[in-house]
Amino acid sequence: MGDRRLKEDAIRDMKIKEHDMVQEVRERVSQGYRIQHSRGLGTRCGFSKVFMFKNYPNQMMAEKITVTLSGAVKRGWD
């Protein structure tokens, strides 16, 4: 799948770094969460939610969270 990147002028013009969802996702990444790129075949890849997870030390998935467009966080991916 690879990285998705925006041009610097688009980031600046759209004020991406100041967006609530972006700030919350970055905070969660700093806490050890990872972004789930796909939830499987037949699922949408929407832009209003970011699905994240954190692993136990043995690499088993420990916790799933969803970060919404407003920056709110809920447990699970539903």
Side-chain angles (χ1 to χ4, degrees), residues 1-4 35-40 43-45 51 53:
M1 191 184 248
D3 290 342
R4 293 183 177 114
I35 296 171
Q36 178 71 26
H37 294 287
S38 171
R39 292 192 301 153
T43 59
R44 284 185 351 111
C45 184
F51 301 102
F53 66 94

Side-chain angles (χ1 to χ4, degrees), residues 8-62:
E8 288 299 320
D9 57 336
I11 293 170
R12 183 184 58 251
D13 293 347
M14 295 180 358
K15 300 178 182 175
I16 295 291
K17 293 180 181 178
E18 297 154 25
H19 194 281
D20 294 334
M21 183 168 68
V22 172
Q23 291 178 350
E24 185 61 37
V25 167
R26 286 185 174 171
E27 175 63 27
R28 296 298 175 142
V29 167
S30 75
Q31 295 172 10
Y33 284 86
R34 300 181 65 185
I35 296 171
Q36 178 71 26
H37 294 287
S38 171
R39 292 192 301 153
L41 294 173
T43 59
R44 284 185 351 111
C45 184
F47 296 99
S48 62
K49 296 179 184 175
V50 177
F51 301 102
M52 303 185 78
F53 66 94
K54 195 171 189 179
N55 284 339
Y56 289 118
N58 66 0
Q59 297 303 310
M60 294 289 295
M61 198 175 289

